[in-house]
Every structure is written in structure tokens, then in C-alpha cells.
Amino acid sequence: MNDRLLRALRGEPVDRTPVWFMRQAGRYLPEYRDLRGERDILETCRVPELVVEITLQPLRRMPLDAAIVFSDIMVPLAAIGVPIRIEPGRGPIVERPIRAAEDVSALRTLEPGADEPDLLEAIRTLRGELDVPLIGFAGAPFTLASYLVEGGPSRNHVRTKALMHAEPHLWARLMERLTAIIRAHLLAQVEAGAQAVQVFDSWVGALDPSDYERFVQPWMPALFEGLDVPAIHFGVGTGELLTLMREAGGDAIGVDHRVPLDSAWERIGADRAIQGNLDPAVCLASWTAVERKALEVLERAAMRDGHVFNLGHGVLPQTPVENLQRLVDLVHERTGRDSA
Ligand code: CP3
């Protein structure tokens, strides 16, 4: 069993820096496109055989140090009956956005065993097939709230911010409900066999630190408490939020490419692990460019224990597979240590 990822997340010595990619399963792989065909993504997530196969596809291509279960952050919300579809090229669309107290009350609790048995079955099967750790995941309350309130992807999250400031009590109830749903979703994945989890607060970088502190941070510790497996806490554009995110929880903080890894690590603190942070767009360029930028990340990580190599955000659909394959090899070759 390759446990580099788990060791790095705990800050323990490793023989090489572990590497995996957010969205490592997806449209950049021809075998993924073939298997998915025209099938809707949320529908795909409900077929355990497809989830297992798609999760394994990138691992057959390159020696990644982790698998991430193929699912979506909207899955637990769809599972409790929120009318959601995911539009190709656009993202999640919520038919009746949440704007009033009744809408929040209508969000019922998640009972994973009954509401998302296919996800849990896929996780149990995957554990039997993998020789690297399996990562389970969830969207964070703010990021899910943004889709629910905006009704779809948003550039400025204007309605979400208006709601939190205009109706802080309603916002608090929404966050409380989402936190309960997400916690149940994470715990069930761990119970089914996930050996680490990642919480995606992808859009939280839209907030300033004082709004983060007031409208997001209070609910975050409940997601990480008593999980029994290491957790990664990730967001995009979070340079100014890193110390607050660290206090909010997670054994590792995931950072995007806008902040240099070494200065991010200073903000996060030496006692925490860090994950990141090559710009995914660079992977569309020549191998020479990918190599140069990847070595820059490794130089900033300085072979310190507690670094998990990843991109700053998900793999883009136009990415040449070969660049990722060479990137995995490069990270492994350049980070060999004889200590562990
Ligand atoms: O990392 C993995 O390999 C696991 C798979 C995974 C998916 N979604 C499958 C998926 C993960 C980790 C997610 C998380 C997710 N979903 C996030 C957080 C991560 C991030 O990127 O910030 C968010 C914001 C979503 C919501 C969502 N789902 C978006 C914005 C999209 C893209 C829509 C598009 O077509 O561009 C999706 C659809 C989606 N979920 C795809 C995949 C592979 C791509 C669409 C497809 O394959 O048809």
C-alpha cells in the first residue's frame, strides 16, 4: 500500500512527495469521454460500476499517489431532492434558487445510507481495488450556498453576499443546514472506506477576511471534527484568507496558483501540511513550460515534509494527457529522499 499521501497530510516523512490532481478523472481523458458518452454527469454518479471505472481511469495512465472518488459537490443536494442539473460547459443549475426562509426550511437532512447508497457502494468497491489512498470529498457550505442562492455559477456572488448581509439570521440557518448535510456526507464516505477527505470551498475567495470570519468560519470546524482521517481544506483565490482557513480546520490547506507556495505555507503555519499549486493552464503549454513552472513549485516547497503536489485548481479538459504523465514522473524523480 502506497501511503505517501496520508503520511504527507500528517506531516510525516515521505520517500517522495505525493502527487494527485483535482479533477484527475474527466474530459481530458478519451476513455472518460467514451464511457460517459451523452450520459448526464449526476446520473453517471449514481451508477456504481461507472463511478468505479472512471475513478480508476487516471490511475491506469500514471502512477498517482491517490484516487479521488468520481462524484460532484452537488451530489448530496441532488440526493435530498433539490432540483439540480449540471449543464456541460457551464456548471450546476438550480431551478428554484434559495431566496427565502421557506426555501431554507425545505432543505431536509441527508441520510447517506438511504439517499446515496450508490456512492457508498462505489467507495467500498474501490477500496478493494486500490493500492493508493482513496479521497472522499464534499463542497463546503459557502460554495454550495452560492450555487443554491445564485441558481447557477456566478462571477461575483452578488445575491449570496446580499443575502448574508441583509438577512444574517437566514444565512446562519442556511449554513447550519448545509453543514449538517455535508458532515453526514463526509462521515458516510469515511465509514465506507475513504482514507482522506477534501473539502472544496472553491468560491470562498470571493469574500474579504471579515466576512469570512463572520459568515463562513463559525460553521467550518464542525466539518473537520471527529473525522478520523486526514482532511484537506481547499479554496481558490484565498491568499488573504489562509490564516482564517487554517483556524477553521483541515490537516492540510489546499492553495491555488495565485499565491507562491512558500509564502502561503508561512501563513498556514509549519505545523500544517499544504497542497498545491501549479497553474492548471500551464499544463496546456509545452512540456518545457510545464517543467519550468513545476520545478518552481518544488523549489518553494523545498522538500519539506507535509507537501502534497497538486494543481492550483482542477485539470482543464484541453490538457494533453502526456503533460500530466510527465509531471507525475517529474515530481517523483525530483523529490526522492532516503530518510523515509
Ligand atoms: O477530481 C475528480 O476527479 C473527482 C471528480 C469531481 C467532479 N466534480 C466531477 C465533475 C470533483 C472533485 C468535482 C467537484 C466540483 N464540482 C467542484 C469543486 C472543485 C472545483 O473545480 O472547484 C465544483 C465547483 C463543482 C461544480 C461543477 N460540476 C462544475 C463547475 C462543473 C463543470 C461544468 C463544465 O462542463 O465545465 C461540474 C461538472 C463536472 N463535475 C465535471 C466533472 C468531471 C465536468 C463535466 C463533464 O465531465 O461532463
Side-chain angles (χ1 to χ4, degrees):
M1 167 78 186
N2 164 358
D3 67 345
R4 273 177 206 141
L5 173 83
L6 303 179
R7 296 182 63 88
L9 292 178
R10 294 189 296 247
E12 295 166 7
V14 285
D15 61 342
R16 289 160 206 284
T17 297
V19 49
W20 70 280
F21 302 122
M22 294 183 274
R23 293 268 173 100
Q24 65 191 23
R27 281 170 295 184
Y28 78 103
L29 286 174
E31 58 271 34
Y32 171 84
R33 297 195 298 267
D34 287 347
L35 196 63
R36 263 284 304 289
E38 298 296 302
R39 205 183 276 104
D40 173 75
I41 182 148
L42 290 176
E43 211 182 293
T44 308
C45 293
R46 285 191 293 264
V47 185
E49 296 75 23
L50 292 176
V51 171
V52 169
E53 177 58 24
I54 292 172
T55 301
L56 295 175
Q57 281 177 344
L59 290 124
R60 297 199 187 101
R61 290 282 201 149
M62 47 201 141
L64 293 154
D65 295 301
I68 179 163
V69 63
F70 186 78
S71 183
D72 194 85
I73 58 169
M74 304 311 280
V75 160
L77 296 178
I80 60 164
V82 178
I84 293 166
R85 62 178 199 283
I86 296 184
E87 252 179 43
R90 223 174 132 212
I93 309 293
V94 179
E95 267 159 48
R96 284 189 306 108
I98 286 187
R99 301 280 158 79
E102 315 83 84
D103 306 327
V104 174
S105 308
L107 286 175
R108 70 161 171 88
T109 53
L110 174 76
E111 286 163 36
D115 294 328
E116 42 186 22
D118 0 84
L119 168 70
L120 304 178
E121 185 188 328
I123 289 175
R124 285 188 291 265
T125 308
L126 280 164
R127 268 306 295 278
E129 306 222 353
L130 287 166
D131 53 12
V132 294
L134 178 63
I135 303 171
F137 71 89
F142 174 83
T143 292
L144 293 185
S146 166
Y147 283 116
L148 289 173
V149 173
E150 305 288 338
S154 166
R155 204 174 171 72
N156 299 315
H157 309 272
V158 170
R159 284 176 184 275
T160 312
K161 291 183 187 179
L163 178 72
M164 61 173 64
H165 286 282
E167 298 188 70
H169 293 292
L170 183 57
W171 175 259
R173 283 187 46 221
L174 175 58
M175 291 298 275
E176 196 180 305
R177 293 227 165 190
L178 289 173
T179 302
I181 291 165
I182 297 159
R183 180 170 167 80
H185 184 61
L186 289 171
L187 283 171
Q189 291 177 76
V190 171
E191 207 172 292
Q195 292 146 293
V197 296
Q198 175 155 325
V199 173
F200 286 94
D201 211 350
S202 299
W203 312 135
V204 80
L207 298 181
D208 65 51
S210 80
D211 283 354
Y212 183 88
E213 215 170 348
R214 179 167 170 218
F215 294 116
V216 175
Q217 205 182 16
W219 291 275
M220 298 302 287
L223 296 182
F224 298 104
E225 269 158 24
L227 273 181
D228 287 339
V229 299
I232 305 156
H233 182 183
F234 167 79
V236 174
T238 55
E240 296 302 319
L241 302 180
L242 289 175
T243 50
L244 294 171
M245 284 177 72
R246 163 217 152 82
E247 287 165 27
D251 300 276
I253 306 295
V255 295
D256 83 346
H257 43 279
R258 291 166 186 84
V259 42
L261 191 97
D262 46 350
S263 57
W265 213 340
E266 250 168 65
R267 291 172 181 209
I268 290 163
D271 60 325
R272 280 316 160 89
I274 191 167
Q275 176 175 282
N277 70 344
L278 178 68
D279 186 343
V282 169
C283 298
L284 274 58
S286 65
W287 168 248
T288 320
V290 179
E291 183 179 40
R292 186 187 314 123
K293 295 294 281 183
L295 291 176
E296 218 175 283
V297 172
L298 290 178
E299 202 165 303
R300 292 183 188 279
M303 301 267 266
R304 281 165 60 188
D305 295 325
H307 178 221
V308 176
F309 192 97
N310 206 312
L311 305 181
H313 203 174
V315 176
L316 295 164
Q318 310 89 329
T319 307
V321 182
E322 199 198 343
N323 274 350
L324 294 188
Q325 292 170 319
R326 294 178 76 170
L327 185 52
V328 172
D329 291 339
L330 179 79
V331 172
H332 285 157
E333 280 160 22
R334 296 301 183 101
T335 61
R337 10 248 219 247
D338 29 47
S339 54

PDB file of all heavy atoms in Angstrom, residues 232-260:
ATOM      1  N   ILE A 232      -8.232  17.725   3.811  1.00  0.00           N
ATOM      2  CA  ILE A 232      -7.642  18.830   3.047  1.00  0.00           C
ATOM      3  C   ILE A 232      -8.726  19.889   2.895  1.00  0.00           C
ATOM      4  O   ILE A 232      -9.858  19.577   2.523  1.00  0.00           O
ATOM      5  CB  ILE A 232      -7.199  18.350   1.644  1.00  0.00           C
ATOM      6  CG1 ILE A 232      -6.255  17.145   1.740  1.00  0.00           C
ATOM      7  CG2 ILE A 232      -6.535  19.501   0.870  1.00  0.00           C
ATOM      8  CD1 ILE A 232      -6.221  16.275   0.482  1.00  0.00           C
ATOM      9  N   HIS A 233      -8.372  21.124   3.160  1.00  0.00           N
ATOM     10  CA  HIS A 233      -9.325  22.240   3.103  1.00  0.00           C
ATOM     11  C   HIS A 233      -8.859  23.156   1.975  1.00  0.00           C
ATOM     12  O   HIS A 233      -7.823  23.794   2.082  1.00  0.00           O
ATOM     13  CB  HIS A 233      -9.288  22.932   4.477  1.00  0.00           C
ATOM     14  CG  HIS A 233     -10.232  24.083   4.623  1.00  0.00           C
ATOM     15  ND1 HIS A 233     -10.276  24.848   5.756  1.00  0.00           N
ATOM     16  CD2 HIS A 233     -11.165  24.609   3.792  1.00  0.00           C
ATOM     17  CE1 HIS A 233     -11.192  25.794   5.631  1.00  0.00           C
ATOM     18  NE2 HIS A 233     -11.736  25.682   4.446  1.00  0.00           N
ATOM     19  N   PHE A 234      -9.632  23.173   0.873  1.00  0.00           N
ATOM     20  CA  PHE A 234      -9.172  23.839  -0.359  1.00  0.00           C
ATOM     21  C   PHE A 234     -10.066  25.004  -0.761  1.00  0.00           C
ATOM     22  O   PHE A 234     -11.293  24.945  -0.616  1.00  0.00           O
ATOM     23  CB  PHE A 234      -9.146  22.802  -1.494  1.00  0.00           C
ATOM     24  CG  PHE A 234      -8.998  23.406  -2.871  1.00  0.00           C
ATOM     25  CD1 PHE A 234      -7.751  23.825  -3.334  1.00  0.00           C
ATOM     26  CD2 PHE A 234     -10.107  23.581  -3.693  1.00  0.00           C
ATOM     27  CE1 PHE A 234      -7.620  24.397  -4.599  1.00  0.00           C
ATOM     28  CE2 PHE A 234      -9.984  24.152  -4.962  1.00  0.00           C
ATOM     29  CZ  PHE A 234      -8.739  24.559  -5.413  1.00  0.00           C
ATOM     30  N   GLY A 235      -9.445  26.048  -1.270  1.00  0.00           N
ATOM     31  CA  GLY A 235     -10.201  27.154  -1.867  1.00  0.00           C
ATOM     32  C   GLY A 235      -9.373  27.834  -2.947  1.00  0.00           C
ATOM     33  O   GLY A 235      -8.152  27.651  -3.021  1.00  0.00           O
ATOM     34  N   VAL A 236     -10.046  28.625  -3.771  1.00  0.00           N
ATOM     35  CA  VAL A 236      -9.395  29.331  -4.876  1.00  0.00           C
ATOM     36  C   VAL A 236      -9.337  30.825  -4.537  1.00  0.00           C
ATOM     37  O   VAL A 236     -10.322  31.376  -4.033  1.00  0.00           O
ATOM     38  CB  VAL A 236     -10.201  29.133  -6.188  1.00  0.00           C
ATOM     39  CG1 VAL A 236      -9.623  29.973  -7.324  1.00  0.00           C
ATOM     40  CG2 VAL A 236     -10.221  27.664  -6.577  1.00  0.00           C
ATOM     41  N   GLY A 237      -8.202  31.460  -4.795  1.00  0.00           N
ATOM     42  CA  GLY A 237      -8.092  32.902  -4.555  1.00  0.00           C
ATOM     43  C   GLY A 237      -8.149  33.257  -3.083  1.00  0.00           C
ATOM     44  O   GLY A 237      -8.730  34.269  -2.692  1.00  0.00           O
ATOM     45  N   THR A 238      -7.532  32.422  -2.240  1.00  0.00           N
ATOM     46  CA  THR A 238      -7.682  32.561  -0.796  1.00  0.00           C
ATOM     47  C   THR A 238      -6.462  33.172  -0.100  1.00  0.00           C
ATOM     48  O   THR A 238      -6.329  33.054   1.121  1.00  0.00           O
ATOM     49  CB  THR A 238      -7.943  31.180  -0.154  1.00  0.00           C
ATOM     50  OG1 THR A 238      -6.879  30.307  -0.557  1.00  0.00           O
ATOM     51  CG2 THR A 238      -9.266  30.610  -0.606  1.00  0.00           C
ATOM     52  N   GLY A 239      -5.582  33.811  -0.868  1.00  0.00           N
ATOM     53  CA  GLY A 239      -4.350  34.369  -0.288  1.00  0.00           C
ATOM     54  C   GLY A 239      -4.581  35.118   1.017  1.00  0.00           C
ATOM     55  O   GLY A 239      -3.852  34.924   1.996  1.00  0.00           O
ATOM     56  N   GLU A 240      -5.610  35.944   1.043  1.00  0.00           N
ATOM     57  CA  GLU A 240      -5.874  36.763   2.236  1.00  0.00           C
ATOM     58  C   GLU A 240      -6.666  36.014   3.306  1.00  0.00           C
ATOM     59  O   GLU A 240      -6.936  36.547   4.376  1.00  0.00           O
ATOM     60  CB  GLU A 240      -6.615  38.045   1.840  1.00  0.00           C
ATOM     61  CG  GLU A 240      -5.815  38.970   0.930  1.00  0.00           C
ATOM     62  CD  GLU A 240      -4.481  39.400   1.546  1.00  0.00           C
ATOM     63  OE1 GLU A 240      -4.456  39.695   2.761  1.00  0.00           O
ATOM     64  OE2 GLU A 240      -3.480  39.426   0.819  1.00  0.00           O
ATOM     65  N   LEU A 241      -7.091  34.796   3.001  1.00  0.00           N
ATOM     66  CA  LEU A 241      -7.943  34.053   3.949  1.00  0.00           C
ATOM     67  C   LEU A 241      -7.200  32.906   4.623  1.00  0.00           C
ATOM     68  O   LEU A 241      -7.770  32.200   5.462  1.00  0.00           O
ATOM     69  CB  LEU A 241      -9.169  33.475   3.217  1.00  0.00           C
ATOM     70  CG  LEU A 241     -10.099  34.451   2.497  1.00  0.00           C
ATOM     71  CD1 LEU A 241     -11.243  33.685   1.828  1.00  0.00           C
ATOM     72  CD2 LEU A 241     -10.648  35.500   3.458  1.00  0.00           C
ATOM     73  N   LEU A 242      -5.928  32.693   4.228  1.00  0.00           N
ATOM     74  CA  LEU A 242      -5.260  31.449   4.624  1.00  0.00           C
ATOM     75  C   LEU A 242      -5.150  31.266   6.135  1.00  0.00           C
ATOM     76  O   LEU A 242      -5.317  30.153   6.637  1.00  0.00           O
ATOM     77  CB  LEU A 242      -3.885  31.340   3.956  1.00  0.00           C
ATOM     78  CG  LEU A 242      -3.950  31.066   2.447  1.00  0.00           C
ATOM     79  CD1 LEU A 242      -2.562  31.094   1.833  1.00  0.00           C
ATOM     80  CD2 LEU A 242      -4.642  29.731   2.157  1.00  0.00           C
ATOM     81  N   THR A 243      -4.870  32.338   6.875  1.00  0.00           N
ATOM     82  CA  THR A 243      -4.748  32.136   8.327  1.00  0.00           C
ATOM     83  C   THR A 243      -6.117  31.796   8.931  1.00  0.00           C
ATOM     84  O   THR A 243      -6.208  30.981   9.857  1.00  0.00           O
ATOM     85  CB  THR A 243      -4.148  33.369   9.039  1.00  0.00           C
ATOM     86  OG1 THR A 243      -4.861  34.526   8.620  1.00  0.00           O
ATOM     87  CG2 THR A 243      -2.678  33.538   8.697  1.00  0.00           C
ATOM     88  N   LEU A 244      -7.171  32.391   8.383  1.00  0.00           N
ATOM     89  CA  LEU A 244      -8.519  32.082   8.889  1.00  0.00           C
ATOM     90  C   LEU A 244      -8.929  30.663   8.498  1.00  0.00           C
ATOM     91  O   LEU A 244      -9.550  29.944   9.286  1.00  0.00           O
ATOM     92  CB  LEU A 244      -9.534  33.092   8.345  1.00  0.00           C
ATOM     93  CG  LEU A 244      -9.345  34.534   8.839  1.00  0.00           C
ATOM     94  CD1 LEU A 244     -10.254  35.486   8.065  1.00  0.00           C
ATOM     95  CD2 LEU A 244      -9.602  34.630  10.337  1.00  0.00           C
ATOM     96  N   MET A 245      -8.571  30.244   7.293  1.00  0.00           N
ATOM     97  CA  MET A 245      -8.893  28.880   6.857  1.00  0.00           C
ATOM     98  C   MET A 245      -8.166  27.859   7.721  1.00  0.00           C
ATOM     99  O   MET A 245      -8.706  26.807   8.056  1.00  0.00           O
ATOM    100  CB  MET A 245      -8.523  28.680   5.384  1.00  0.00           C
ATOM    101  CG  MET A 245      -9.503  29.329   4.418  1.00  0.00           C
ATOM    102  SD  MET A 245      -8.989  29.162   2.703  1.00  0.00           S
ATOM    103  CE  MET A 245      -9.280  27.415   2.401  1.00  0.00           C
ATOM    104  N   ARG A 246      -6.947  28.187   8.075  1.00  0.00           N
ATOM    105  CA  ARG A 246      -6.164  27.305   8.926  1.00  0.00           C
ATOM    106  C   ARG A 246      -6.862  27.124  10.273  1.00  0.00           C
ATOM    107  O   ARG A 246      -7.004  26.013  10.776  1.00  0.00           O
ATOM    108  CB  ARG A 246      -4.780  27.939   9.088  1.00  0.00           C
ATOM    109  CG  ARG A 246      -3.948  27.438  10.193  1.00  0.00           C
ATOM    110  CD  ARG A 246      -3.136  28.533  10.851  1.00  0.00           C
ATOM    111  NE  ARG A 246      -2.920  28.136  12.229  1.00  0.00           N
ATOM    112  CZ  ARG A 246      -1.963  27.292  12.599  1.00  0.00           C
ATOM    113  NH1 ARG A 246      -1.118  26.833  11.715  1.00  0.00           N
ATOM    114  NH2 ARG A 246      -1.861  26.921  13.839  1.00  0.00           N
ATOM    115  N   GLU A 247      -7.347  28.254  10.835  1.00  0.00           N
ATOM    116  CA  GLU A 247      -8.062  28.180  12.116  1.00  0.00           C
ATOM    117  C   GLU A 247      -9.376  27.414  11.947  1.00  0.00           C
ATOM    118  O   GLU A 247      -9.828  26.742  12.870  1.00  0.00           O
ATOM    119  CB  GLU A 247      -8.368  29.585  12.648  1.00  0.00           C
ATOM    120  CG  GLU A 247      -7.150  30.309  13.173  1.00  0.00           C
ATOM    121  CD  GLU A 247      -7.398  31.810  13.342  1.00  0.00           C
ATOM    122  OE1 GLU A 247      -8.564  32.196  13.552  1.00  0.00           O
ATOM    123  OE2 GLU A 247      -6.420  32.571  13.242  1.00  0.00           O
ATOM    124  N   ALA A 248      -9.971  27.524  10.759  1.00  0.00           N
ATOM    125  CA  ALA A 248     -11.262  26.869  10.515  1.00  0.00           C
ATOM    126  C   ALA A 248     -11.126  25.353  10.478  1.00  0.00           C
ATOM    127  O   ALA A 248     -12.066  24.636  10.815  1.00  0.00           O
ATOM    128  CB  ALA A 248     -11.873  27.373   9.209  1.00  0.00           C
ATOM    129  N   GLY A 249      -9.953  24.845  10.084  1.00  0.00           N
ATOM    130  CA  GLY A 249      -9.731  23.408  10.147  1.00  0.00           C
ATOM    131  C   GLY A 249      -9.127  22.781   8.911  1.00  0.00           C
ATOM    132  O   GLY A 249      -9.080  23.398   7.843  1.00  0.00           O
ATOM    133  N   GLY A 250      -8.688  21.541   9.061  1.00  0.00           N
ATOM    134  CA  GLY A 250      -8.043  20.798   7.984  1.00  0.00           C
ATOM    135  C   GLY A 250      -6.600  20.493   8.358  1.00  0.00           C
ATOM    136  O   GLY A 250      -5.901  21.348   8.880  1.00  0.00           O
ATOM    137  N   ASP A 251      -6.179  19.235   8.079  1.00  0.00           N
ATOM    138  CA  ASP A 251      -4.780  18.870   8.331  1.00  0.00           C
ATOM    139  C   ASP A 251      -3.885  19.493   7.281  1.00  0.00           C
ATOM    140  O   ASP A 251      -2.714  19.753   7.533  1.00  0.00           O
ATOM    141  CB  ASP A 251      -4.636  17.349   8.284  1.00  0.00           C
ATOM    142  CG  ASP A 251      -5.510  16.703   9.330  1.00  0.00           C
ATOM    143  OD1 ASP A 251      -5.068  16.613  10.480  1.00  0.00           O
ATOM    144  OD2 ASP A 251      -6.669  16.331   9.000  1.00  0.00           O
ATOM    145  N   ALA A 252      -4.434  19.705   6.090  1.00  0.00           N
ATOM    146  CA  ALA A 252      -3.703  20.370   5.014  1.00  0.00           C
ATOM    147  C   ALA A 252      -4.595  21.464   4.449  1.00  0.00           C
ATOM    148  O   ALA A 252      -5.820  21.335   4.422  1.00  0.00           O
ATOM    149  CB  ALA A 252      -3.341  19.377   3.913  1.00  0.00           C
ATOM    150  N   ILE A 253      -3.962  22.540   3.995  1.00  0.00           N
ATOM    151  CA  ILE A 253      -4.700  23.590   3.310  1.00  0.00           C
ATOM    152  C   ILE A 253      -4.299  23.533   1.834  1.00  0.00           C
ATOM    153  O   ILE A 253      -3.110  23.493   1.508  1.00  0.00           O
ATOM    154  CB  ILE A 253      -4.374  24.986   3.904  1.00  0.00           C
ATOM    155  CG1 ILE A 253      -4.590  25.010   5.434  1.00  0.00           C
ATOM    156  CG2 ILE A 253      -5.200  26.073   3.218  1.00  0.00           C
ATOM    157  CD1 ILE A 253      -6.014  24.807   5.910  1.00  0.00           C
ATOM    158  N   GLY A 254      -5.302  23.485   0.961  1.00  0.00           N
ATOM    159  CA  GLY A 254      -5.064  23.467  -0.482  1.00  0.00           C
ATOM    160  C   GLY A 254      -5.065  24.889  -1.008  1.00  0.00           C
ATOM    161  O   GLY A 254      -5.993  25.649  -0.715  1.00  0.00           O
ATOM    162  N   VAL A 255      -4.004  25.244  -1.749  1.00  0.00           N
ATOM    163  CA  VAL A 255      -3.898  26.616  -2.259  1.00  0.00           C
ATOM    164  C   VAL A 255      -3.826  26.630  -3.783  1.00  0.00           C
ATOM    165  O   VAL A 255      -3.311  25.699  -4.400  1.00  0.00           O
ATOM    166  CB  VAL A 255      -2.658  27.354  -1.678  1.00  0.00           C
ATOM    167  CG1 VAL A 255      -2.817  27.541  -0.173  1.00  0.00           C
ATOM    168  CG2 VAL A 255      -1.363  26.615  -1.988  1.00  0.00           C
ATOM    169  N   ASP A 256      -4.345  27.689  -4.379  1.00  0.00           N
ATOM    170  CA  ASP A 256      -4.275  27.787  -5.829  1.00  0.00           C
ATOM    171  C   ASP A 256      -2.956  28.474  -6.233  1.00  0.00           C
ATOM    172  O   ASP A 256      -2.122  28.799  -5.390  1.00  0.00           O
ATOM    173  CB  ASP A 256      -5.521  28.468  -6.404  1.00  0.00           C
ATOM    174  CG  ASP A 256      -5.443  29.983  -6.344  1.00  0.00           C
ATOM    175  OD1 ASP A 256      -4.573  30.517  -5.632  1.00  0.00           O
ATOM    176  OD2 ASP A 256      -6.256  30.646  -7.002  1.00  0.00           O
ATOM    177  N   HIS A 257      -2.802  28.691  -7.544  1.00  0.00           N
ATOM    178  CA  HIS A 257      -1.528  29.150  -8.083  1.00  0.00           C
ATOM    179  C   HIS A 257      -1.293  30.651  -7.933  1.00  0.00           C
ATOM    180  O   HIS A 257      -0.224  31.127  -8.278  1.00  0.00           O
ATOM    181  CB  HIS A 257      -1.484  28.782  -9.566  1.00  0.00           C
ATOM    182  CG  HIS A 257      -2.796  29.074 -10.237  1.00  0.00           C
ATOM    183  ND1 HIS A 257      -3.869  28.212 -10.144  1.00  0.00           N
ATOM    184  CD2 HIS A 257      -3.215  30.129 -10.951  1.00  0.00           C
ATOM    185  CE1 HIS A 257      -4.902  28.719 -10.796  1.00  0.00           C
ATOM    186  NE2 HIS A 257      -4.534  29.889 -11.288  1.00  0.00           N
ATOM    187  N   ARG A 258      -2.292  31.396  -7.415  1.00  0.00           N
ATOM    188  CA  ARG A 258      -2.114  32.848  -7.329  1.00  0.00           C
ATOM    189  C   ARG A 258      -1.216  33.253  -6.183  1.00  0.00           C
ATOM    190  O   ARG A 258      -0.770  34.392  -6.121  1.00  0.00           O
ATOM    191  CB  ARG A 258      -3.479  33.536  -7.204  1.00  0.00           C
ATOM    192  CG  ARG A 258      -4.285  33.435  -8.492  1.00  0.00           C
ATOM    193  CD  ARG A 258      -5.733  33.797  -8.232  1.00  0.00           C
ATOM    194  NE  ARG A 258      -6.571  33.586  -9.418  1.00  0.00           N
ATOM    195  CZ  ARG A 258      -7.102  32.423  -9.752  1.00  0.00           C
ATOM    196  NH1 ARG A 258      -6.872  31.344  -9.017  1.00  0.00           N
ATOM    197  NH2 ARG A 258      -7.851  32.303 -10.827  1.00  0.00           N
ATOM    198  N   VAL A 259      -0.974  32.340  -5.250  1.00  0.00           N
ATOM    199  CA  VAL A 259      -0.107  32.659  -4.123  1.00  0.00           C
ATOM    200  C   VAL A 259       1.115  31.725  -4.157  1.00  0.00           C
ATOM    201  O   VAL A 259       0.976  30.527  -4.330  1.00  0.00           O
ATOM    202  CB  VAL A 259      -0.901  32.591  -2.777  1.00  0.00           C
ATOM    203  CG1 VAL A 259      -1.823  31.412  -2.733  1.00  0.00           C
ATOM    204  CG2 VAL A 259       0.025  32.604  -1.581  1.00  0.00           C
ATOM    205  N   PRO A 260       2.333  32.314  -4.041  1.00  0.00           N
ATOM    206  CA  PRO A 260       3.533  31.469  -4.047  1.00  0.00           C
ATOM    207  C   PRO A 260       3.485  30.473  -2.884  1.00  0.00           C
ATOM    208  O   PRO A 260       3.111  30.856  -1.771  1.00  0.00           O
ATOM    209  CB  PRO A 260       4.684  32.464  -3.864  1.00  0.00           C
ATOM    210  CG  PRO A 260       4.106  33.803  -4.225  1.00  0.00           C
ATOM    211  CD  PRO A 260       2.656  33.734  -3.897  1.00  0.00           C
TER     212      PRO A 260
END
